[in-house]
Amino acid sequence: MTTLLVLHGPNLNLLGTREPEIYGDLTLAEIDQKLAEAASAKDVEIYSIQSNSEGALVDALQEAAKKADGVIFNPAGYTHTSVALRDAVAAIGIPVIEVHLSNVYAREEFRKQSLIAPVCLGKITGFGWMSYRLALEALIERG
Ligand code: DQA
């Protein structure tokens, strides 16, 4: 069976109340639940991790190399700053798709730079929780 990690970065634990005009009304638990349902319909197993800590996200990526076939990753604020997360994505040898709820290209200049995207399979941004769903479909369809 295919196993995928859904990895959420800092402040995404606040979804539901965090700037809902930008990030929507769904909580992280609700997003994870929707993804779990979409995945199980395709016979795919997912497990979700959220952390506000860069090191814990690195650990989750390294662990995923041993037990997952791909990663759906919203690095949140670390997208724009983290060499350590970029290096982890480059090191693990399984496909990673970078996702964002908001359209990072329609926001502040600093959000247009991603250190992570160049080492990912691809990037999906701006579709709310559907960004994760589209990434799930891409990883499944790609095989
Ligand atoms: C985000 C976009 C990032 O720029 C921001 O720092 C976040 C959320 C998104 O999902 O739209 O925390 O990754």
Side-chain angles (χ1 to χ4, degrees):
M1 182 191 258
T2 302
T3 301
L4 301 175
L5 167 63
V6 182
L7 187 58
H8 308 280
N11 300 305
L12 295 173
N13 55 310
L14 300 179
L15 288 178
T17 56
R18 177 191 179 197
E19 299 180 276
E21 66 287 357
I22 296 174
Y23 299 117
D25 295 328
L26 292 181
T27 64
L28 195 63
E30 288 167 338
I31 291 174
D32 283 340
Q33 178 61 31
K34 283 176 175 290
L35 287 171
E37 284 165 15
S40 88
K42 302 266 185 181
D43 213 22
V44 168
E45 188 180 12
I46 61 169
Y47 67 103
S48 300
I49 296 175
Q50 188 278 329
S51 181
N52 294 324
S53 145
E54 192 175 19
L57 294 167
V58 170
D59 289 342
L61 288 165
Q62 290 186 10
E63 223 16 65
K66 296 178 215 152
K67 58 186 194 197
D69 303 294
V71 182
I72 298 165
F73 187 20
N74 186 345
Y78 288 136
T79 306
H80 319 295
T81 63
S82 178
V83 175
L85 287 173
R86 177 197 173 111
D87 288 348
V89 169
I92 59 176
I94 55 173
V96 177
I97 298 185
E98 180 182 310
V99 301
H100 300 281
L101 296 150
S102 65
N103 178 357
V104 289
Y105 297 104
R107 302 181 61 195
E108 301 95 328
E109 275 305 308
F110 68 84
R111 292 187 206 277
K112 294 178 184 164
Q113 166 168 290
S114 170
L115 271 60
I116 318 285
V119 291
C120 288
L121 180 62
K123 165 171 176 159
I124 300 172
T125 185
F127 296 94
W129 83 272
M130 286 291 296
S131 293
Y132 289 88
R133 169 82 189 272
L134 292 167
L136 177 69
E137 281 174 26
L139 284 173
I140 293 171
E141 292 293 320
R142 185 179 175 272

